[in-house]
């Protein structure tokens, strides 16, 4: 990952973790807790792609595993967010721009459900049965609902910040290469139009030459 990506991702993840632990975790809402860390990973993955999303997800999850008052095995949430970040990055559009909010909202719901299932599944493997006592169905519903309500206030802003960081002058030539390819496409399109107009002009000239030749032949025949 580039330096600007690492700095921005680290800052956003740390801020999200502080808000998650100090504010959201103390709301005592029924069921699940709004997952600001997940939304941060999703916003970055939709801009950085599957590789960047996996790396950001692993780092964010590991930080959440080690931050107090974590009561689960270290690496459990890192594994979950790494997989979710990778899968979310696969949805990234080739142009880097999302035309509607429907796609990101579907990604948020799927990620909330997938994170809850993966976290409960990994917990079952290590002997953590807390999800059974709370009720997996209520956890899935409340996780999807809370994250969906919080997503419009988080994901677009994170994506905008990530795109601005991509345009940083210190960035590597990845974005510049894309811009070059787009410029080449426009230039080739313009050249094609010019060639087409030249061909049309040549056809008109050829038609005029034929008409003039036919007129001369008719004049000779009349004589």
């Amino acid at each position: 990952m580039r330096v600007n990506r690492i700095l921005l991702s680290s800052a956003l993840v740390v801020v999200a973790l502080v808000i998650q632990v100090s504010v959201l975790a103390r709301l005592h809402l029924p069921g699940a807790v709004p997952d600001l860390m997940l939304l941060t990973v999703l916003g970055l993955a939709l801009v950085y792609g599957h590789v960047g999303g996996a790396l950001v997800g692993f780092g964010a999850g590991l930080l959440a595993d080690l931050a107090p008052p974590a009561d689960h095995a270290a690496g459990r949430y890192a594994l979950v967010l790494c997989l979710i970040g990778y899968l979310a990055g696969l949805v990234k559009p080739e142009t880097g721009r999302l035309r509607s909010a429907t796609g990101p909202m579907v990604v948020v719901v799927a990620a909330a459900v997938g994170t809850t299932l993966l976290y409960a599944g990994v917990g079952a493997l290590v002997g953590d049965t807390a999800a059974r006592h709370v009720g997996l169905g209520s956890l899935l519903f409340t996780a999807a609902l809370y994250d969906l309500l919080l997503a419009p206030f988080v994901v677009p802003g994170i994506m905008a910040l990530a795109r601005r960081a991509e345009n940083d002058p210190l960035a590597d030539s990845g974005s510049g290469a894309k811009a070059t390819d787009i410029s080449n496409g426009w230039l080739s399109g313009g050249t094609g139009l010019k060639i087409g107009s030249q061909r049309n002009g040549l056809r008109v000239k050829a038609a005029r030459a034929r008409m003039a030749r036919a007129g001369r032949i008719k004049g000779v025949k009349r004589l």
Side-chain angles (χ1 to χ4, degrees):
M1 294 180 70
R2 294 179 292 204
V3 175
N4 55 334
R5 286 188 178 187
I6 295 175
L7 293 177
L8 178 64
S9 301
S10 302
L12 291 175
V13 166
V14 170
V15 171
L17 179 62
V18 172
I19 297 175
Q20 180 81 35
V21 173
S22 60
V23 178
L24 297 179
R26 298 184 180 183
L27 294 178
H28 301 293
L29 296 173
V33 177
D35 199 341
L36 187 58
M37 296 286 285
L38 172 64
L39 297 179
T40 303
V41 172
L42 292 179
L44 294 173
L46 289 174
V47 177
Y48 294 158
H50 59 283
V51 176
L55 293 175
V56 173
F58 179 80
L62 186 61
L63 187 62
D65 287 331
L66 299 176
D71 56 353
H72 54 268
R76 179 176 169 186
Y77 200 46
L79 174 62
V80 172
L81 283 189
C82 180
L83 293 175
I84 295 297
Y86 179 84
L87 294 176
L90 295 176
V91 189
K92 172 192 172 185
E94 303 223 353
T95 58
R97 297 286 178 180
L98 297 172
R99 297 183 179 180
S100 68
T102 305
M105 293 299 102
V106 173
V107 172
V108 168
V109 173
V113 173
T115 301
T116 305
L117 289 175
L118 286 173
Y119 190 80
V122 175
L125 292 177
V126 297
D128 185 1
T129 59
R132 296 180 183 177
H133 301 292
V134 178
L136 186 58
S138 63
L139 282 178
L140 291 174
F141 176 75
T142 54
L145 178 62
Y146 296 154
D147 291 346
L148 187 60
L149 293 176
L150 188 60
F153 304 99
V154 178
V155 176
I158 290 177
M159 293 179 67
L161 289 174
R163 288 196 185 107
R164 286 187 181 181
E166 289 293 281
N167 295 328
D168 194 287
L170 297 178
D172 60 16
S173 58
S175 58
K178 293 181 181 178
T180 304
D181 293 339
I182 296 173
S183 301
N184 290 336
W186 281 106
L187 290 175
S188 62
T191 306
L193 291 175
K194 289 181 180 178
I195 291 175
S197 61
Q198 290 175 0
R199 289 176 179 173
N200 291 333
L202 291 175
R203 289 175 182 174
V204 172
K205 289 181 181 179
R208 288 178 181 174
R210 280 193 225 114
M211 292 176 63
R213 192 177 302 168
R216 290 175 188 172
I217 293 174
K218 288 182 181 179
V220 171
K221 286 182 178 180
R222 287 176 184 176
L223 293 176

